[in-house]
Amino acid sequence: MVHRLAVVVPTPAHSSVAGPLSYRSELALGAGTLLRVPLGRREVLGVVWDGDAQALPAGAGIAERAIAGALEGIPPLSRHWRDLVTFCAAYYQRSLGEVALAALPPQLRDLTAAQVARRLKRGAGTGGAEAASDSAPQLTAEQAAALQAIDADEGTFLLYGATGSGKTEVYLQCVQRLLSRDPQAQALVMVPEINLTPQLHERFVERFGAGQVVAMHSGLTNPQRLKSWLAAHQGAARIVLGTRMAVFASMPGLKLIVVDEEHDPSYKQQEGARYSARDLAVYRGRLEGAKVLLGSATPSLESWYASEQGRYRRLEMASRIGAGALPAVRLVDMNLQPKHAVFAPPLLEAIRQRAARGEQSLIFLNRRGYAPVLSCADCGWKSECPHCSAFRVFHKIDRTLRCHHCGFTERVPRHCPACGNADIAPVGRGTERLEEQLAELLAGAVRPDGQPVRVARMDADSVRLKGALQEQLAQVHAGAVDVLVGTQMVTKGHDFRRITLVAALQADSALFSSDFRAPERLFALLLQAAGRAGRDAAQAAASEMWVQTWNPGHPLFAALRRHDYPAFAARQLEERAQAGMPPFGFQALVRAEARSQETAQAFLQAGSAAGQDLAAAHGVTLYSAVPMSVQRVANVERAQMLVESASRPALQRFLAQWRPLLQASRERGLLRWAIDVDPLAI
């Protein structure tokens, strides 16, 4: 007997093939079955889907074809997983096939049925059942109360805990209690960045054994990703630890989702389907009946507002482990410091004193490289990138000018390319220059053992090579570094026990940004940075956070001095309510890329005109098309248009009707366009 199957296949973002295609099969295969099917001249991976297949275009000359074969040995993808993918594709305005197939391991998409069978046979019986440790530390009263509340209730929890309050231990014990209660249960633990996975993975393996835990992130090789995915999909791995991509991990026994540092912008995908992994985690929790635990010392204002409204249950842990005090925040008014001073003299003296006592300091500057621009004083030439509307950054360590947008790199010229002047100089400073200047300023300063003070740098450039990050972290933990200079990567999640002073330089830039989320990001960054100081309770009382600012009277800094996130959040939410900004309004951004700015904007304006006539346009505001802040990248011009509504359903209805009209208004010269729902950067 011949059966007709609805099969989802990989499709481009704005494909006319919106849903599943129809294929013939001699076997009655259930929804969720993975199989190989012919598509054009290729054979691709497909997923049997629910419902009816999309009708083939009349007169297209495409006959209904037979499947090539099912991937036997791999259980079908669950109904909940398929519902999650369907929701993601609809909400974020992408094709179903694009989202479904991108959510599966790349190697699974490339292997034939026979190769998959061999891989499954080879992987059978591996994984090991390494013994777990029972050495859980004694809980604080706040940790115990939080765990009790999570045990007793269902739904989504916001764990608002100060830096160093022991949120990770709450995650560990939540997972431990779940797994001991239910032998089939699985837990998903998400972190914002790959850099944070090794240390957390180590703690989970130590507690639960290597055979129970798998990692999922883009730093793994394709075979590693497939192995982790299969272990989770077959229920062999009970804990999946990963970055945003892990929200799509197939886990038939999923009962708990933990999103650590839930405020972090890294949870928002910036390419392809621009989903928020945090928001999908909350939706998935509702689908699967799983508890969702969002943790942060500086929750996103959306999550904070949801907890104010009672949609999430807020659990507070205000105290640090060991009753350690939060670092005292000292604002340095740069208007009163010597002209052109990089470091205020009192800050420099405080760093020297820390080093002399054998303590560590962390200097935070969110700009890598030696200097953001190289300039000629004679003719005004600057190191602009020929392919982008941005400057190339000077990297002294390898004498290059490097564009951080398109990657274009050249050797530093010996003289000005415009006028021949040999005196071209760096303007501004990045972490590389800061490291050099700090080493000069601390020359003569000594450690308790009489050795000179050692300065090290940690940023995306210094940890590019494999294993470099682990090596640098090990040096910091071992006390081989006295002063650590770094970008925002050093402020996130790291448990540096010996750091007692954190200093933030150039913290003012975000105060006057055109992006309404900039103050929220700055406050979170500074409070997280402060959280790296005084994590050892014995030294906590003497720990300090120094902030060099030209605007010491700004309300943001007043809240920072008190470590008062609720007061900061209340003020921000009040401002956003007045302006109708998220979470009180809902936004989408349409981005267009073309060879000329005129083409990009013309596409957006034509789309806007077509959208105004839609019945669903009522209650939706379309703003004018404008160039993006970095207008040109890699010789591609970029423009954007903001769409707003006070109602999320109204915005969704409009976008669903508008998307085909946008695709229809494409003209020659337009390279790409995309809708970004709930954008984080405008």
Side-chain angles (χ1 to χ4, degrees), residues 11-30:
T11 48
H14 310 297
S15 169
S16 57
V17 180
L21 293 178
S22 179
Y23 283 89
R24 287 182 286 111
S25 169
E26 293 183 5
L27 299 171
L29 300 173

Side-chain angles (χ1 to χ4, degrees), residues 1-2 12 17 31 59 64 120 226 313 376 409 431 445 448 528 561 583 600 622:
M1 182 179 173
V2 176
V17 180
E64 190 174 74
L120 288 168
L226 178 59
R313 181 171 176 187
C376 172
T409 303
T431 48
Q528 292 285 339
R561 288 188 77 163
L622 286 85

Side-chain angles (χ1 to χ4, degrees), residues 101 124 177 253 292 297 340 410 422 424 473 485-487 529 563 581 601 603 617:
L101 276 297
R177 292 181 182 194
V292 180
H340 306 306
E410 279 187 330
I424 50 176
L473 287 173
V485 175
T487 53
H563 294 269
M581 294 290 188
Q601 290 200 32
F603 163 76

